[in-house]
Amino acid sequence: MAEIPDNAISRGLKLASLPLGMAGRAASSVGKRVVGRATDEITAEFQAKTAEQIFSILGELKGGAMKMGQALSIFESALPEEIAAPYRATLTKLQDSAPPMPESTVNDAMANGLGANWREKFASFNMVPAAAASIGQVHRATWHDGREVAVKIQYPGAAKAIDADVKQATRVGKLVGLLAPGLDMQPLLDEIRDRIIDELDYIREAKVQRAFAAAFEDDPEFAIPHVVVSSPSIIVTEWLDGTPLSKIITDGTQEQRNRAGLLYERFLLSAPGRCGYLHSDPHPGNFRMTADGKLGVLDFGAVAHLPEGLPYSLGALLRVSLYGNAEDVLQGLRDEGFVLPGIDIDAEALHDYLAPFAMPAEPETFTFTRDWMREQFSRINDPRNPDFTIGLKINLPPSYMLIHRVWLGSIGVLCQIDCTIPARGEIERWVPGFVKV
């Protein structure tokens, strides 16, 4: 495939084929049950084929569709195990890979981004991509001065494709509903749709990565690659070796899991105060553990600019939810726009609804597990549970959208890692307002 498909009709049909394909396979499964095939065998076949279709179509479309798929892979820890198991490998794969561009397209993109003599800037360049992201793919190369570098190339047609995805986003919303009935992902998908436009600007991304690299220069715990050169469609950065976080999730020892989880939490919470930006794409594909025990961080296209650091109100709300009375919690949420004027909501019920999400900040250490995550999502997304109606009354102010994405998404990743970490201490250290002064 030479580039991202940019025809709105073509992309719309492919996105539509996901829920339609599921429905068709479900109907086929019913027929197979009639003729006597075992239910477990049919279910396994149905889920495996659906998972393969998700990866194939979202990976082929790339752009906004691929990004939405990556969001799904973060939240697989909230799905019931009987649903999550067959999807986990496929969705994790989606975090780190996608069908590659042909060599001719790579050559054209490099010439457009770095000039017709682009090869002269490199001692060597591997035409086989080392990794793929939602709107670009990464090649390993050697810069002319001998440095090992990563070359991120934006897929041709990315802008047009994303425009098509915006118009078809509701189709993916339906897909989410099929995977996890009751889990309302639409606000997250809307936020991804809006922010992904920023990710097309590689000049902006390079500027942000330089800010992160400067803030974390020679840090004993974190490794941020420096930018070598950039253009609107190409970013060349130092190469960063390491074990992908997805590998720690599947094969890591408990000690490795705990170390990775601690550094992952520490980086996300500390960055706004250290460099004025919140890394807002918390999926595991953007993180790896280096040989010397550091957490390496990649991909700075999705960020929130927070020049004053995390808002004081975030820590204050978390503190009051742990130690304040129910009326204080409700008033604090009203003040920040989480409960809109005129919305009638029971303070005690609201406090009980939110309490479990503040739980990691209460004990000295907390163990994040998939079971705990599923319990919370089951509680708030079951229409038969009183908590379900409470959730429908809570607003998400636009200023908190990226913070919400990182906070909830990182909890999902920590639960995938299955780690025990001193979350409370990290919050006390890095989140303003949590410790009352």
Side-chain angles (χ1 to χ4, degrees), residues 313-325:
S313 56
L314 176 66
L317 284 172
L318 184 58
R319 184 187 72 244
V320 77
S321 68
L322 280 174
Y323 306 117
N325 60 50

Side-chain angles (χ1 to χ4, degrees), residues 6-50:
D6 60 9
N7 181 283
I9 296 177
S10 171
R11 293 177 67 79
L13 289 174
K14 287 188 175 184
L15 288 170
S17 72
L18 288 171
L20 290 175
M22 290 181 185
R25 280 189 295 278
S28 174
S29 297
V30 172
K32 290 174 181 177
R33 289 189 181 95
V34 171
V35 297
R37 287 187 61 188
T39 299
D40 290 347
E41 177 187 354
I42 295 167
T43 300
E45 178 183 299
F46 167 80
Q47 293 177 332
K49 288 182 178 179
T50 300

Side-chain angles (χ1 to χ4, degrees), residues 213-374:
F216 289 89
E217 183 75 41
D218 298 324
D219 191 281
E221 296 179 322
F222 304 104
I224 313 292
H226 284 276
V227 175
V228 177
V229 68
S230 64
S231 76
S233 59
I234 304 289
I235 300 180
V236 181
T237 69
E238 296 170 334
W239 183 265
L240 182 66
D241 278 316
T243 302
L245 192 54
S246 57
K247 184 71 172 175
I248 301 293
I249 288 173
T250 57
D251 302 323
T253 65
Q254 192 59 57
E255 182 180 1
Q256 290 172 325
R257 291 172 183 275
N258 293 346
R259 171 70 175 172
L262 174 60
L263 293 183
Y264 175 83
E265 174 85 341
R266 182 171 294 167
F267 173 78
L268 292 175
L269 293 180
S270 68
R274 296 182 65 172
C275 67
Y277 289 98
L278 173 69
H279 190 291
S280 303
D281 197 356
H283 79 79
N286 289 332
F287 302 89
R288 57 200 57 215
M289 295 300 297
T290 64
D292 57 356
K294 295 183 180 182
L295 179 69
V297 186
L298 306 171
D299 199 339
F300 297 86
V303 297
H305 188 208
L306 300 173
E308 304 300 321
L310 289 170
Y312 182 91
S313 56
L314 176 66
L317 284 172
L318 184 58
R319 184 187 72 244
V320 77
S321 68
L322 280 174
Y323 306 117
N325 60 50
E327 291 296 337
D328 289 339
V329 173
L330 176 56
Q331 188 58 52
L333 292 174
R334 286 194 186 278
D335 291 344
E336 291 300 314
F338 286 93
V339 179
L340 297 175
I343 296 296
D344 183 29
I345 188 168
D346 181 83
E348 291 291 345
L350 177 63
H351 185 272
D352 292 344
Y353 173 90
L354 294 173
F357 289 112
M359 193 184 300
E362 188 170 12
E364 186 172 338
T365 61
F366 186 82
T367 299
F368 292 87
T369 67
R370 285 186 170 94
D371 286 343
W372 177 80
M373 185 74 166
R374 291 190 197 103

Side-chain angles (χ1 to χ4, degrees), residues 91-109:
L91 291 177
T92 299
K93 183 180 179 183
L94 184 59
Q95 294 172 335
D96 298 310
S97 59
M101 290 186 282
E103 289 189 12
S104 60
T105 305
V106 172
N107 185 70
D108 290 344

